[in-house]
Amino acid sequence: MTGPLRAAVLGALALIALAAGALAAAPAAPAAPAVTVQVLTAQVLAGPVAPEAPVAPTPPDASGPAVSVDVNGVDGTPASAITLVLAITALSVAPALLLMTTAFTKIIVVLSITRNALGLASTPPNQVLAGLALFLSLFVMAPVISEVNETAVQPFLAGTLTQADALEVGSGPLREFMVGQTREEDLALITRAADRPNPTSVEEVPMTTLIPAFVLSELRAAFIIGFVVFVPFLVIDIVVSSSLMAMGMMMLPPVTVALPFKLLLFVLVNGWGLIITALVGSYA
């Protein structure tokens, strides 16, 4: 055997010896626990294990955090949370109550008809008419609001009335106001439409029947006042149109010529004052 070949064989033997030593020094993997045949046989003969009984729940910790709402406060008055909820509820239904149970409907309709009779499409703006109607409604409803506040709201806040009693007492003045402005024909119409028996007295009329009858009566009165307001301006339109036709000025819009005369007449007779006086006087 030549020298290089011998050296290669010796090197290969040395590498094999090193690898064998490394394998011998490495830790052996843990063997899986063996399950004997006796253990398996005992488990099969023992049968299924009965389930454990459920554990009773532990009582809550009284010292921990808790959420509670008290209807009444310490001194018997409504709690602040209940008062806040009632206030938010009142604000959410306030627009419907304002439209259906007060003088707002008739006032805003009359003001809108007056603006149309003058021939002004957007003057005064809707915001101005709504604001004027709102404050006139508060002026008309001031006695009713004061009575409701004295007989229902303040006793409820003082803790002397429950919620149901306050609602019943507070609806009394409002019912009396609506009954005074509602026609019997409208009450009979809504009663027949609801298929209800005829009430023997006004106190037996439910609010679900009284409110729509009151709105119908208010719309009728508003249209009557609007007709009276509309007639003078209609006469001015007819006179201006006839004059323009007689002069052969057919291409000139009569509305443009009649508008200054309408405004002049309305200012001379103090139109806003007359309308507001008529509206407020209709609730006297």
Side-chain angles (χ1 to χ4, degrees):
M1 183 176 298
T2 61
L5 181 59
R6 182 181 299 173
V9 172
L10 293 176
L13 292 176
L15 291 175
I16 293 173
L18 291 175
L23 291 176
V35 179
T36 60
V37 178
Q38 291 81 1
V39 174
L40 292 177
T41 304
Q43 291 180 354
V44 172
L45 294 178
V49 180
E52 297 181 359
V55 180
T58 58
D61 187 6
S63 61
V67 178
S68 63
V69 177
D70 295 330
V71 176
N72 294 327
V74 179
D75 54 351
T77 60
S80 58
I82 299 300
T83 304
L84 180 61
V85 171
L86 293 178
I88 295 175
T89 304
L91 290 176
S92 63
V93 301
L97 294 178
L98 179 65
L99 292 175
M100 303 296 290
T101 61
T102 65
F104 184 84
T105 301
K106 180 163 69 174
I107 295 175
I108 191 64
V109 169
V110 171
L111 295 179
S112 300
I113 292 177
T114 303
R115 183 178 64 179
N116 293 334
L118 287 171
L120 302 173
S122 59
T123 304
N126 293 329
Q127 293 83 353
V128 175
L129 293 183
L132 180 59
L134 176 61
F135 281 99
L136 288 177
S137 301
L138 293 177
F139 178 75
V140 171
M141 301 294 297
V144 179
I145 296 175
S146 299
E147 187 175 357
V148 171
N149 181 57
E150 295 175 359
T151 59
V153 177
Q154 294 302 325
F156 171 71
L157 295 178
T160 58
L161 285 180
T162 62
Q163 298 181 17
D165 294 337
L167 182 60
E168 183 178 358
V169 174
S171 62
L174 191 60
R175 171 189 289 272
E176 183 179 354
F177 168 78
M178 289 191 293
V179 167
Q181 303 297 326
T182 305
R183 301 190 311 146
E184 294 183 359
E185 293 82 355
D186 295 329
L187 275 176
L189 173 63
I190 299 299
T191 301
R192 290 194 301 269
D195 196 16
R196 295 177 178 271
N198 293 327
T200 57
S201 63
V202 179
E203 290 75 12
E204 296 181 0
V205 178
M207 294 293 287
T208 55
T209 302
L210 180 59
I211 291 177
F214 168 74
V215 174
L216 290 180
S217 299
E218 290 288 279
L219 291 176
R220 179 180 180 274
F223 286 164
I224 292 175
I225 299 176
F227 171 78
V228 176
V229 173
F230 221 106
V231 169
F233 301 111
L234 181 60
V235 173
I236 293 177
D237 286 333
I238 294 175
V239 172
V240 170
S241 299
S242 301
S243 301
L244 292 177
M245 290 291 291
M247 291 185 295
M249 303 175 65
M250 294 176 293
M251 300 302 295
L252 184 63
V255 177
T256 305
V257 180
L259 181 58
F261 295 99
K262 291 180 180 180
L263 295 177
L264 179 62
L265 175 64
F266 195 72
V267 172
L268 289 177
V269 300
N270 190 18
W272 291 117
L274 293 176
I275 292 174
I276 291 175
T277 302
L279 287 172
V280 176
S282 63
Y283 293 99

